[in-house]
Amino acid sequence: MILDRQSRINTSDLKARLNAIGQENVPFPAEEITEFVNLMQVYEGAMYEISTKLEILDSEFQVRFAHDPIHHMERRLKSVNSILGKLERKELPLQVSSIRDNLFDVAGVRVICNYRDDVYSVSNYLSAQNDISVLRVKDYIKNPKQNGYRSLHVIYAVPVFLSSGAHYTPVEVQFRTIAMDYWASLEHALRYKTDLPDSKLSEHSQTLLDCARSLQNIETQMQNIHRDINGAPQVGEA
Ligand code: GTP
Ligand code: MG
């Protein structure tokens, strides 16, 4: 199952929004608008290509091993406002070339797997496909962030074939288990909850860190039961 975080890009709508932004506050050059819209179409294609590859891998596992490694996927294109906001934060010029050269998460796919083993097998099989390449890996499962965040982030370069030929386009893929996703959703909600007193925020952050450790233990125990059922070797705490 794939959850689309928004509908397919509508180019006239995107143009209208960019024009409005340009007129109101951000001096986004008018001549760049067409190029921006074209670029978003390429990111969308790359995002669809990666999610189709993942669906094919998932269905192969279902057919051959009677096991669904992927629980579900989510995909989204970064919104125009988030793109412009990120360029400003990074103090980059508001130009299409800045997006192309510096932002690697305009197209994003989140792959929520049942078990930690699935995270690594699905990501390894995808990374081994020779028509795409791995640009960057951040393994926050082996090395969790200080706040307890865990996920495997891989940026792939995906060829999108247009009338002008192949355009290698980055897609950020976040692989995580159901437990990691459950945790990250609540932590994300807390991060944007700015009206709580600082004492409450730090209390909740500490509790979340404890929860991350507990979830990791539960996940290891459940992974071991699953391995046992499937005849795979057991692992200790990851
Ligand atoms: P930015 O995209 O500029 O943040 O830098 P980056 O691409 O180097 O960041 P990174 O790969 O570490 O994380 C990118 C994405 O992972 C974020 O946009 C979030 O979706 C997710 N993420 C990273 N850290 C956290 C975290 O601590 N909590 C939650 N809930 N999500 C996180
Ligand atoms: Mg990012």
Side-chain angles (χ1 to χ4, degrees):
M1 177 185 52
I2 301 183
L3 294 174
D4 280 298
R5 288 301 190 92
Q6 78 274 88
S7 50
R8 286 193 76 124
I9 52 169
N10 171 329
T11 48
S12 47
D13 181 47
L14 188 57
K15 267 188 192 149
R17 258 185 297 153
L18 282 163
N19 272 317
I21 289 171
Q23 281 157 16
E24 272 168 31
N25 42 28
V26 191
F28 198 78
E31 67 277 10
E32 296 261 319
I33 290 180
T34 307
E35 222 187 308
F36 191 121
V37 173
N38 293 347
L39 183 65
M40 292 305 277
Q41 188 262 326
V42 182
Y43 280 120
E44 187 182 53
M47 181 178 80
Y48 284 128
E49 285 202 19
I50 282 283
S51 32
T52 301
K53 282 174 171 292
L54 287 159
E55 278 189 308
I56 292 171
L57 277 175
D58 189 53
S59 64
E60 187 206 6
F61 271 69
Q62 263 175 56
V63 170
R64 294 186 54 201
F65 311 113
H67 170 62
D68 280 294
I70 300 177
H71 181 267
H72 74 278
M73 286 190 262
E74 295 170 10
R75 59 187 177 191
R76 65 99 184 96
L77 287 183
K78 215 174 180 67
S79 70
V80 176
N81 286 338
S82 308
I83 291 174
L84 298 179
K86 193 159 180 176
L87 290 181
E88 283 185 334
R89 271 200 313 284
K90 290 183 171 244
E91 296 182 358
L92 291 163
L94 296 180
Q95 287 168 0
V96 170
S97 58
S98 311
I99 302 171
R100 201 181 284 125
D101 299 341
N102 299 283
L103 303 194
F104 300 103
D105 62 348
V106 174
V109 178
R110 190 169 282 160
V111 185
I112 294 105
C113 295
N114 288 304
Y115 296 97
R116 218 181 305 159
D117 284 355
D118 297 328
V119 163
Y120 287 106
S121 64
V122 171
S123 61
N124 286 338
Y125 284 121
L126 183 63
S127 300
Q129 297 191 1
N130 58 17
D131 54 339
I132 59 176
S133 55
V134 173
L135 294 181
R136 192 182 80 186
V137 179
K138 282 192 189 170
D139 191 342
Y140 296 121
I141 299 177
K142 291 210 168 72
N143 302 298
K145 286 180 63 171
Q146 276 200 340
N147 60 1
Y149 177 77
R150 292 183 305 140
S151 277
L152 173 66
H153 296 182
V154 185
I155 296 172
Y156 293 98
V158 186
V160 177
F161 290 88
L162 302 181
S163 54
S164 50
H167 294 248
Y168 284 82
T169 308
V171 179
E172 182 182 86
V173 185
Q174 300 179 351
F175 298 93
R176 50 171 77 151
T177 61
I178 297 170
M180 294 172 199
D181 190 53
Y182 173 47
W183 185 94
S185 307
L186 185 59
E187 194 273 343
H188 185 263
L190 181 67
R191 191 186 291 228
Y192 288 94
K193 188 86 187 131
T194 47
D195 54 348
L196 280 181
D198 282 355
S199 59
K200 265 276 168 233
L201 276 177
S202 65
E203 185 192 325
H204 288 331
S205 302
Q206 183 54 51
T207 311
L208 272 171
L209 183 56
D210 297 340
C211 291
R213 293 187 182 126
S214 307
L215 286 170
Q216 189 175 342
N217 286 333
I218 292 170
E219 210 170 49
T220 302
Q221 294 174 61
M222 291 180 62
Q223 173 78 79
N224 277 334
I225 297 172
H226 185 256
R227 284 186 179 182
D228 209 19
I229 294 169
N230 290 280
Q234 303 273 304
V235 270
E237 180 48 58

